[in-house]
Amino acid sequence: MQVAIAQLNQVLGDLAGNARGLGDAIDTARRAGASLVVTPELSLCGYPPEDLLLRPAFLAACAAELTALATRVHGVTALVGFPEAHEGRRHNAVAVIRDGRVAQIYRKQQLPNYTVFDEDRYFEPGGAPCVFDVDGICCAVIICEDIWFADPAARAQAAGAQIIVVPNGSPYHTQQQALRRAQVTARATETGLPIVYVNRVGGQDELVFDGASFVVDARGEVVQQLPAWHETVALVPFDGAAPRRVRSRLDNRLEPHVYQALVMGVRDYVDKNRFPGVLIGLSGGIDSALTLAVAVDALGRERVRALMLPSQYNASISLEDARAMAAIVGVRYDEISIEPVFAAFLEALAREFAGRPVDAAEENIQARIRGTLLMALSNKFGSIVLTTGNKSEMAVGYATLYGDMAGGFAVLKDISKTLVYRLARYRNSLGRVIPERIITRAPSAELRPNQTDQDALPPYEVLDGILEAYVEHDKSPADIVAQGYAPEHVRNVVRLIKINEYKRRQAAVGIRITPRGFGKDWRYPITSAWNEWESVAPPAS
């Protein structure tokens, strides 16, 4: 027997297009000799469909498309994920399709309701196992979250399964690949059954799916590993119910996976939303440089336009480095000085600002002028503006509403500043695209003379360590101080996180790559009297 893993990238809501793609993958697998084809979770409609599931017309259209797809399936068994309306309830389901019809249906038993998941809002759990014969082998299907609990696999085993297959819609984050393997290994060793784990690939709003499907034997050892970040239809050969070992491996380094996540996230967001291209405001700094590199790798240089919008505060090396990088990657590059517009704003506000010192108000005007110009070009030519702010800045509010936050997609929204540097080095290891001086010079917003980020923030190594502990691991300020961070730094960073929630609520959607980003899995109130930093004692005088 051969099982085909269809690691696919569906477009959410494109039911007809997804059905064509599924049918083509099933046909390809059948011609290659597969007896069973496994497609990802909710492969018919795309994942996650969110509140589309609350619309009866959407569910009815899915049912009709599934019936039509089934008529194409002959000479092979196919597993297709779909949202099912059944006896007044909705289920996250998989159809077992053979002989031109839906022969059986499995309904997901465990519904995740944490981080980016809220399936309790949409679905009712199933409870019955689903076992079916393929070439004399009893196969069982369970869905995604089911593999993280012992019961669904145990029920499948008790029902006579010899092989378990698992369609998944498992989004990527930096720890997820190892966590998946650990859970699948645990279920295999508990049941003594081999497991075929099939994950989707592609970007969907803030989520990116890495694929990286794999197969373990009855001892829980990985015997076949599919690549990450690529669509593929791959055959898994079995001797009876035992999968054969196929030489394969997955690169476990962090930077290649994160960089590919960003590239895929940008490509799919731009293409699936049918934007002709992207606009990027270059500054000569590291964040916009990395954003430009990702955009060119995702879309090609012809669909990327870079603009430098200098003021009197921009150092000459900023313009030199922006020009140099634009030339290296070969994108259209233009410069539009904001000084005349800035002067007009200051003149208009001269009476109101009279007698007051220059401060953040004047700095933010510059950022908002740049945002307005970028958005004007976006409106005129249809390209989407990619914002360039990183997670460290978004955490502490080191960004300007309607200024550098203006845009449609935030590429680095979940990338800490220290990781920005690591990714820049990684990208240059593949071929130099970012001038070395951009990486080595001190970061600055360049909104006033001789400004650097560290004028107002602790060193980024310190800032990012505090942010990771507080945001991603829910450590208390006291616990973070106990890790060796200075109380005054912890107190200030935690305070800044809280008071800048209103900015993050207005930020563009961006790619999630950590276990907790500032998106679906971060839901703090804007208005709140809870001041957790008060638990940290001020520094001794």
Side-chain angles (χ1 to χ4, degrees), residues 45 97 115 123 156 171 188 198 225 266 272 279 284 385 388 414 482 502 514 519:
C45 64
I97 304 175
T115 63
F123 297 120
V198 179
Q225 174 69 64
V266 169
K272 291 179 180 181
L279 291 163
V385 175
T388 62
D414 201 26
Y502 77 101
T514 69

Side-chain angles (χ1 to χ4, degrees), residues 181-202:
R181 288 193 293 271
Q183 291 299 323
V184 173
T185 294
R187 301 294 87 77
T189 54
E190 290 163 6
T191 61
L193 301 178
I195 298 175
V196 179
Y197 183 99
V198 179
N199 193 28
R200 73 187 324 107
V201 68

